[in-house]
Amino acid sequence: MKRNEKAFTQKDLAEYLNISQSQYSRKEKGNIEITNDEWKRISKLLDVDI
């Protein structure tokens, strides 16, 4: 997983997206949809294409 390769925790990404770690975890598992804006921000942080 790219997040792990970059040494980011779920908490790191949650803080970056200004959401709780538990909410981020549910998004990562696919239980909650990741918004287009969040995809853009995550891809920029992880330096990957969407």
Side-chain angles (χ1 to χ4, degrees):
M1 178 179 288
K2 198 62 148 176
R3 174 178 62 77
N4 293 329
E5 289 176 21
K6 297 282 187 172
F8 287 113
T9 65
Q10 286 187 347
K11 184 177 180 182
D12 293 331
L13 265 75
E15 288 176 358
Y16 179 72
L17 295 173
N18 200 29
I19 60 176
S20 69
Q21 185 275 325
S22 63
Q23 188 176 14
Y24 178 81
S25 177
R26 290 185 302 223
K27 288 176 180 274
E28 193 173 271
K29 291 177 183 176
N31 297 330
I32 299 175
E33 187 174 326
I34 299 173
T35 67
N36 286 336
D37 182 58
E38 289 170 334
W39 277 123
K40 289 175 187 175
R41 295 182 68 205
I42 291 167
S43 69
K44 184 177 181 179
L45 179 67
L46 299 179
D47 193 29
V48 295
D49 292 328
I50 296 178

